[in-house]
Amino acid sequence: MRVRKVIAVLGTLLALGAVVPSSAGAADETAEKHGAKKPTVVLVHGAFADASSWNGVVDRLQRKGFPVVAVANPLRSVSGDANYLKQVLASIDGPIVLAGHSYGGMVQSAAAAGNKNVKSLVYIAAFAPEKGESALGLSNKFPGSTLGDAVRPIPLGDGTTDLVIAQDKYWQQFAADVSRKDATIAAATQRPINDTALNEAAGEPAWKTIPSYFLVAGKDKNIPLAATKWMAERAHARELVEVKNASHSVAVSHPDTVADLIVRAAR
């Protein structure tokens, strides 16, 4: 009889072990069943690109179960672009992780200010301005940017000028670690930025009150590596990732690394 009781007890313990979560993954599944929700990841592209530049990152985040919105950044002015992004953020329920590339960092720094739903800011080879700073001023603060030699102006007749990267210079300037074929397509589909946006001074930045995460590209020819590292240190970044051989188009060439950083920021 005693042996039978021992066997019965062991059987009960094994049965319990089969249903008790034994890993973080199981705990996450249980939390989701009880209404827990992953934050929405909002991606903001920069100049000389469009929302499709996030495609590889979007795919990886969606496979991990994150809702994602890749915003069409107007690229007209910091204040105007930030106001548009604010409306997008206001339409989203629940927590948000905001990630910006390049000039997109200027926009998210302004748009997230005062928004309690934005839990983290992720800067992907991006500007993180202090009040009064401009994208143009930050890109010239340290030596190394060759963007000025690669852009072509398009006067708009209203006193402002749109800027694009000359297509024959796009691959080496913007996306040297992307395939020549993909870079050629990106050069043809790039969206111009108005010079107003590059010269406008930033307001009070959200990174002062919201945790920030930075990824810097080691061979960035648009924003010097020294500038992005300096901005990350100034913002007291929770994490700084350097992709040593990456071009400015690091979200295209290294989508796994970018997505992984965003996932860590989401936690």
Side-chain angles (χ1 to χ4, degrees):
M1 289 292 292
R2 188 174 297 174
V3 173
R4 289 181 181 176
K5 286 183 179 180
V6 171
I7 292 173
V9 170
L10 286 173
T12 302
L13 290 173
L14 288 171
L16 287 171
V19 298
V20 174
S22 59
S23 67
D28 289 343
E29 289 179 7
T30 301
E32 288 182 9
K33 288 178 181 178
H34 286 82
K37 181 182 178 182
K38 287 184 188 284
T40 298
V41 178
V42 178
L43 304 171
V44 187
H45 69 80
F48 319 118
D50 63 16
S52 69
S53 60
W54 292 109
N55 282 357
V57 177
V58 171
D59 175 59
R60 285 154 178 80
L61 291 172
Q62 287 180 335
R63 282 194 272 126
K64 293 178 183 291
F66 287 91
V68 184
V69 177
V71 176
N73 190 356
L75 305 178
R76 300 294 87 191
S77 68
V78 175
S79 54
D81 299 342
N83 284 335
Y84 173 72
L85 179 56
K86 283 181 180 179
Q87 304 312 311
V88 175
L89 298 178
S91 72
I92 297 172
D93 292 328
I96 297 168
V97 173
L98 191 51
H101 173 243
S102 192
Y103 166 78
M106 298 285 299
V107 178
Q108 73 175 15
S109 294
N115 189 325
K116 295 180 180 180
N117 283 343
V118 179
K119 304 304 181 184
S120 302
L121 296 169
V122 187
Y123 292 85
I124 307 298
F127 294 111
E130 175 60 278
K131 184 178 181 180
E133 292 177 340
S134 68
L136 184 61
L138 286 168
S139 64
N140 291 327
K141 188 175 182 65
F142 295 86
S145 176
T146 57
L147 179 61
D149 297 329
V151 295
R152 181 172 66 82
I154 304 174
L156 299 183
D158 62 356
T160 69
T161 301
D162 268 2
L163 301 170
V164 295
I165 296 177
Q167 291 196 28
D168 61 345
K169 296 182 178 180
Y170 191 95
W171 184 37
Q172 288 301 325
Q173 175 62 40
F174 198 85
D177 60 342
V178 175
S179 74
R180 185 67 176 265
K181 177 182 177 182
D182 288 343
T184 300
I185 293 172
T189 60
Q190 66 177 297
R191 293 185 52 218
I193 188 167
N194 193 271
D195 61 352
T196 301
L198 297 179
N199 287 290
E200 185 177 348
E204 196 67 27
W207 53 258
K208 288 188 175 181
T209 56
I210 300 173
S212 61
Y213 297 74
F214 282 72
L215 184 146
V216 299
K219 293 188 176 180
D220 193 334
K221 293 183 179 181
N222 278 30
I223 309 175
L225 177 62
T228 47
K229 283 188 171 182
W230 174 75
M231 288 184 281
E233 291 170 4
R234 180 175 66 177
H236 303 292
R238 296 284 182 91
E239 185 175 352
L240 172 62
V241 175
E242 180 178 352
V243 185
K244 292 187 179 297
N245 294 315
S247 70
H248 189 62
S249 194
V250 63
V252 178
S253 58
H254 293 82
D256 285 312
T257 305
V258 172
D260 287 346
L261 178 60
I262 292 172
V263 168
R264 292 196 294 276
R267 292 175 183 158

